[in-house]
Amino acid sequence: MHYSYTQISQYLTCPRRYRHRYLDGWQEKDTRAVMLFGKAFEQALAAYFRHEDSAGALFTEWSACQNQGLHFSKGDSWDRMLQQGIMLLDRFCQDDRIRIRQPKRSLQIKFERQLSTANNFVAYIDAIGTVDGTRCLIEWKTTSSRYPEEPNGLLALDPQLVCYSWMTGISEVAQVVFVRKRLVEVQYLRTTITEEQRQEFGRLVEDTIRRIESAEFLPHSGIRFPQNPCSTCPYVGLCLGKPKMVEIALVRRPGAQNLGWLDELTY
Ligand code: SF4
């Protein structure tokens, strides 16, 4: 069985959600514009580090999604996202704070870790390079609003960065956040993950897999407004027994449990 960060995080959010996705094979439809834009933007970044035309790469990749019946968030459109993407690439290029040597080997790097004879853990790291001269593990994020920077040190609690630090043994980590707003912005957020955090994460993975293998899938539904995870959960139609909602949001791909690592490649 291949496990990934996304699988562990889905289980910790709601074990029932994990069952819908990985055991029963229900998957969100790939028509979310923000997700497909994130993929296209990452291709543009790869082109930038290969000294190719990054704006051209973004246009090509994003054009390929244009006729896929995209669902846009409020205020977004295909043209607007393209324009923001090109402005972000410009800003990133002017900032010139990231260096990636050997981009063919240092982008989208696959790491595997054997957990037991039956299980392994797979992670795809966006990049390993330098941020302002410090060697880091780097994650790209595209978003429509800034990531919070307060209180100071908050980034060190990011579970995905802790997971990737555990997978690679690299302590210095960074998130480069491409913020699509009227005046675009690139945030360069850096932190250090400690050995203790890495060990704790390893224990969390072991414990989560033990619960999955014991078939513990009780729902963790929301309790109080406004932090009710069910209200934004793509699987809410299944839990409410409403086939129409299921049809709009999900497709079924049985046997999905062994393809969970593919989720690592989505945004
Ligand atoms: S709708 Fe709520 S209970 Fe159902 S899977 Fe989603 S988070 Fe869990």
Side-chain angles (χ1 to χ4, degrees), residues 14 17 20 219 221 230 233 236 239:
C14 174
R17 185 169 164 149
H20 289 320
S221 56
C230 300
C233 177
V236 68
C239 289

Side-chain angles (χ1 to χ4, degrees), residues 115-205:
L115 300 174
S116 66
T117 46
N119 297 326
N120 76 341
F121 199 99
V122 180
Y124 283 85
I125 310 297
D126 283 346
I128 294 178
T130 61
V131 180
D132 300 328
T134 303
R135 184 174 180 269
C136 285
L137 175 166
I138 303 170
E139 280 295 297
W140 317 122
K141 299 286 176 196
T142 50
T143 167
S144 55
S145 49
R146 293 186 95 245
Y147 274 28
E149 295 183 51
E150 299 289 335
N152 196 15
L154 187 65
L155 189 67
L157 302 181
D158 183 288
Q160 191 177 22
L161 289 176
V162 176
C163 170
Y164 291 169
S165 176
W166 168 71
M167 280 298 282
T168 59
I170 299 174
S171 307
E172 296 301 319
V173 297
Q175 264 176 357
V176 180
V177 185
F178 296 89
V179 191
R180 294 187 301 102
K181 50 182 189 172
R182 203 170 58 79
L183 288 176
V184 298
E185 181 184 356
V186 185
Q187 291 176 278
Y188 298 86
L189 310 175
R190 264 188 46 208
T191 192
T192 305
I193 306 297
T194 64
E195 180 56 30
E196 190 186 351
Q197 283 178 287
R198 283 191 284 276
Q199 286 183 11
E200 264 178 3
F201 192 85
R203 290 201 292 278
L204 180 67
V205 169

